[in-house]
Amino acid sequence: MAPPRILVVGAGFAGVECVRRLERRLAPGEAQITLVTPFSYQLYLPLLPQVASGVLTPQSVAVSLRRSRRHRTRIVPGGAIGVDTRAKVCVIRKITDEIVNEPYDYIVLAAGSVTRTFDIPGLLDNARGMKTLAEAAYVRDHVIAQLDLADASHDEAERASRLQFVVVGGGYAGTETAACLQRLTTSAVRHYPRLDARLIKWHLIDIAPKLMPELGDKLGQAALEVLRKRNIEVSLGVSIAKAGPEEVTFTDGRVLPCRTLIWTAGVAASPLIATLDAETVRGRLAVTPQLSLEGADGVFSLGDAAAVPDLAKGDGAVCPPTAQHAMRQGRVLADNLIASLRHQPLRDYVHKDLGLVVDLGGKDAVSKPLGIELRGLPAQAVARGYHWSALRTNVAKTRVATNWMLNAVAGDDFVRTGFQSRKPATLRDFEYTDAYLTPEQIKEHTASAVIKH
């Protein structure tokens, strides 16, 4: 009799943690494990702003899934575009664009999230995101290119538009992105004697009334003071009304000449979740405290894609889409999946949030570990210590620590790789959110495959 087939969709914090625990705790031959992912690495998302600013190299935050020969998981290079829970089939588009059916006995949906967007004129065509490794590398190239182009231009209006940068989203990603890239341009402009440093202006805007409200009033205000001290203009209660290739219109009526719009205004669950035709909570798959989908045999979900009840908070709260929850959910889900295989009872996921860290670059940071409010160097030590310890392999830890030390000693560099220099890339080009099937298309696809078989 063939062993049960376990299919894990997604190689983020949740999916990789689940796979690694399954490999360690399942006996050889007890189950077949397959991982579906477009890229054979685990991306450490919280450090992407430091990749964009050049403090870290892209390889240091992309932890390879193929380095170890001990692991027995089969990796399918592609993306899941639909799931038929009745037929127990996942529809996969490989990186070659071939569409295949992958049958399963148990499926783990750890498909993560995509950048949340709104119906704002010009947004999808003119904004850049900060959700993938390619986006971070592209944003870095683009920002440095604006300095080069402004330096080469004799048109004052063009210079002004190229040297204004707008980041939308006052959460952790947006705040860290604005802070890290502002440090990069401030350091770089010293090497452009024809440019007036006063023309470089960074804007951070958010529709919310407070910056990073999860940190509390004191630390949120401390972060705000750090940004404003660096001449980053922070506008709260404001969003984008219209985005064009050379200007941005704010909802308060201001029109800014600008060639760089970075959009980090939250995330939404992967469109894969909508293909299941199941109950959702704000777009995330509604699961039980045991991380299973009620009424669907062998279906589990976790991480950003799932609305996991937060039993530590209670009152119907769901776990926030953070790395610390995703990693711990991965371990619990793996244990519950093994318990299902062995006909043992499942356990609930319970975890009390350990706190938050925000790295603003250099000596600036704000952190709240275990409820203790820190700022400055102590906060920076906690932030970098947390990120360093969360990296999964010693190779990744060594690379990140080396990059940090090299940057501290040698300073920033301003090398532009020319990545997509002839083709301006936007939000549409990195996350492939239009690749998914509808529930009806999935049923037709799996039904035709059964008939052919």
Side-chain angles (χ1 to χ4, degrees):
M1 183 177 176
R5 298 162 296 187
I6 300 173
L7 180 63
V8 180
V9 177
F13 291 106
V16 170
E17 198 68 28
C18 177
V19 166
R20 293 299 182 238
R21 197 170 183 94
L22 288 172
E23 289 181 329
R24 287 193 297 269
R25 300 204 168 185
L26 283 171
E30 191 174 0
Q32 296 176 351
I33 309 170
T34 301
L35 176 64
V36 180
T37 175
F39 307 103
S40 57
Y41 59 75
Q42 178 192 3
L43 178 62
Y44 192 84
L45 271 169
L47 291 177
L48 277 187
Q50 294 190 39
V51 173
S53 64
V55 173
L56 298 176
T57 61
Q59 294 92 333
S60 62
V61 301
V63 183
S64 173
L65 301 178
R66 296 188 185 272
R67 284 186 66 92
S68 175
R69 296 181 181 179
R70 293 185 296 107
H71 303 309
R72 60 182 187 271
T73 297
R74 177 171 70 99
I75 297 176
V76 177
I81 58 174
V83 179
D84 187 336
T85 56
R86 295 195 177 190
K88 287 198 167 186
V89 168
C90 180
V91 184
I92 298 170
R93 176 179 274 116
K94 291 185 176 181
I95 57 174
T96 59
D97 280 337
E98 178 190 4
I99 296 179
V100 298
N101 290 336
E102 186 72 33
Y104 66 84
D105 296 298
Y106 297 90
I107 189 168
V108 177
L109 299 172
S113 57
V114 296
T115 301
R116 181 181 61 183
T117 58
F118 301 97
D119 190 18
I120 298 172
L123 177 66
L124 293 177
D125 294 319
N126 297 292
R128 285 93 186 165
M130 189 59 68
K131 196 76 175 67
T132 68
L133 192 60
E135 279 180 311
Y138 177 82
V139 165
R140 172 176 169 76
D141 258 26
H142 173 81
V143 168
I144 296 173
Q146 299 316 297
L147 299 180
D148 287 339
L149 292 166
D151 184 61
S153 176
H154 298 287
D155 185 327
E156 292 300 322
E158 181 186 351
R159 278 190 172 193
S161 68
R162 292 196 182 280
L163 297 179
Q164 291 219 76
F165 306 89
V166 176
V167 179
V168 183
Y172 308 112
T175 302
E176 290 186 337
T177 296
C180 290
L181 286 173
Q182 184 272 339
R183 279 180 54 85
L184 174 68
T185 54
T186 299
S187 181
V189 76
R190 299 171 191 155
H191 302 273
Y192 293 82
R194 295 182 65 247
L195 293 183
D196 184 350
R198 292 172 296 181
L199 289 177
I200 298 180
K201 296 179 181 178
W202 281 87
H203 302 261
L204 176 62
I205 70 171
D206 194 0
I207 197 65
K210 294 180 180 179
L211 194 69
M212 297 181 291
E214 299 90 342
L215 282 173
D217 290 343
K218 286 184 179 180
L219 286 185
Q221 185 62 33
L224 186 60
E225 289 171 3
V226 168
L227 298 180
R228 286 179 170 161
K229 190 176 179 181
R230 293 196 202 164
N231 295 319
I232 298 175
E233 185 172 326
V234 181
S235 301
L236 300 174
V238 178
S239 189
I240 296 293
K242 185 170 63 174
E246 297 181 12
E247 66 178 27
V248 174
T249 304
F250 291 178
T251 52
D252 62 5
R254 282 180 291 165
V255 179
L256 232 64
C258 171
R259 309 279 183 115
T260 306
L261 173 61
I262 302 173
W263 181 266
T264 63
V267 297
S270 166
L272 178 67
I273 298 306
T275 72
L276 273 74
D277 200 18
E279 182 186 352
T280 59
V281 178
R282 294 184 179 179
R284 300 166 72 185
L285 191 64
V287 296
T288 68
Q290 297 84 34
L291 308 172
S292 63
L293 178 61
E294 204 162 0
D297 182 42
V299 179
F300 296 83
S301 188
L302 72 169
D304 292 9
V308 179
D310 192 342
L311 300 182
K313 288 184 179 178
D315 295 326
V318 297
C319 297
T322 61
Q324 63 174 286
H325 277 289
M327 292 168 71
R328 288 165 177 80
Q329 288 168 11
R331 297 168 199 154
V332 172
L333 195 153
D335 290 344
N336 282 348
L337 206 159
I338 294 170
S340 295
L341 284 171
R342 298 171 181 172
H343 307 291
Q344 297 171 349
L346 280 58
R347 67 185 175 101
D348 293 345
Y349 171 74
V350 185
H351 170 65
K352 187 175 181 181
D353 212 307
L354 298 177
L356 306 163
V357 295
V358 181
D359 189 337
L360 300 174
K363 299 176 182 178
D364 296 321
V366 288
S367 300
K368 196 175 181 180
L370 302 174
I372 302 169
E373 296 186 349
L374 302 172
R375 63 191 72 184
L377 280 175
Q380 181 68 280
V382 169
R384 294 204 167 181
Y386 171 77
H387 289 316
W388 185 83
S389 63
L391 290 164
R392 192 173 49 80
T393 67
N394 290 329
V395 171
K397 289 178 179 180
T398 302
R399 282 179 174 157
V400 166
T402 302
N403 285 177
W404 279 337
M405 286 190 292
L406 185 61
N407 182 261
V409 173
D412 298 314
D413 70 74
F414 318 109
V415 174
R416 181 161 56 92
T417 65
F419 179 57
Q420 286 200 326
S421 59
R422 296 291 179 181
K423 180 189 174 187
T426 64
L427 283 170
R428 295 178 184 274
D429 299 311
F430 291 104
E431 298 189 44
Y432 310 106
T433 53
D434 57 352
Y436 297 85
L437 304 178
T438 65
E440 292 73 23
Q441 289 174 322
I442 294 166
K443 289 175 184 175
E444 289 175 10
H445 187 80
T446 53
S448 63
V450 170
I451 292 170
K452 288 178 184 177
H453 185 71

